[in-house]
Amino acid sequence: MTDVAERVWFPSTSGPKLAGVVDHPAAPVRGWGVFSHGFTLGKESPAASRICKQLASEGIGMLRFDNVGLGDSEGDWGDGSFSHKVADTAQAVRFMNESGREVRLVVGHSFGGAAVIAAAHHVDSVRAVVSIGAPYQPGHVEHNYDALVERCLADGEAPFLIGGKALTLRRHFIEDVRAADLHEQIRTLHRALLVMHSPTDNTVGIANASEIFRAARHPRSFVSLEGADHLLTGRNQAKRAARIISAWADPYLADQ
């Protein structure tokens, strides 16, 4: 297992600097990728850190980063939106590409899984996309804050406590995520897609994976992460997912 982690900063598309970690690949280097974390999670969440470290140990270097206002990144989470998350995921790919580490693979967990599908449209280098426990429509995240929606729409914002984090939910976030339509983004992806989902996911139901897979064109693949919870916190769940991604992505990593 590689332990070489490089701390990096790069500008978000809205201004604040984003904090990231590049998990350097073990030799031989097979390729490079970017990981997009779940709704309010971060680069140190179990899914992000364990998957990226495992991929790095198998020769695929990965950048994982905190979205605006989360973890070590600058800014206010409440100023962001799904559109910002998509744009900043594409920005992360460009940052890697400009440093000479051309990204062929993007991996996203949960809300980040929806984001990487949309972001891939903005970066030509990406050839392979992986969604893990992703919602078919980004608006699915509303279940996290449904009790706040009316107040937020009326007042413009509302305090939002999730996972021990005190955040601000703003009207533009709700309106932006409701307007996002992933179906067309999936249908016109024109890249290899791997859909991974647990049949016992109680946060984002398995039906979401069926919808994503149905909307996708070939080459498309589906892997059931049986026994896993949504956050992949169980022993070896993230590592297993990473090993599958590593094998699946292999044809798309090399120069063509």
Side-chain angles (χ1 to χ4, degrees), residues 78-108:
D79 292 336
S81 65
F82 180 68
S83 294
H84 282 109
K85 187 172 178 68
V86 170
D88 286 344
T89 302
Q91 182 87 331
V93 173
R94 290 186 206 103
F95 167 76
M96 289 290 281
N97 289 351
E98 287 163 9
S99 70
R101 300 175 279 201
E102 188 148 303
V103 170
R104 301 274 194 253
L105 170 70
V106 287
V107 182

Side-chain angles (χ1 to χ4, degrees), residues 11-77:
S12 67
T13 51
S14 55
K17 282 188 177 174
L18 302 180
V21 169
V22 178
D23 292 297
H24 278 261
V29 178
R30 293 165 55 211
W32 297 93
V34 163
F35 189 100
S36 180
H37 64 68
F39 185 40
T40 58
L41 296 176
K43 68 181 183 305
E44 303 302 337
S45 61
S49 61
R50 294 173 188 172
I51 287 174
C52 289
K53 287 174 182 175
Q54 180 65 33
L55 286 170
S57 76
E58 299 192 17
I60 306 173
M62 296 293 295
L63 166 63
R64 49 191 163 101
F65 66 98
D66 293 320
N67 279 115
V68 168
L70 295 174
D72 300 317
S73 289
E74 295 176 350
D76 180 349
W77 179 86

Side-chain angles (χ1 to χ4, degrees), residues 203-224:
T203 304
V204 180
I206 188 75
N208 286 273
S210 301
E211 295 288 354
I212 293 170
F213 189 77
R214 194 175 295 131
R217 304 288 180 88
H218 286 295
R220 58 180 182 169
S221 305
F222 173 77
V223 170
S224 174

Side-chain angles (χ1 to χ4, degrees), residues 224-238:
S224 174
L225 298 175
E226 64 278 358
D229 60 81
H230 179 67
L231 296 176
L232 302 184
T233 52
R235 189 168 177 268
N236 290 329
Q237 288 176 1

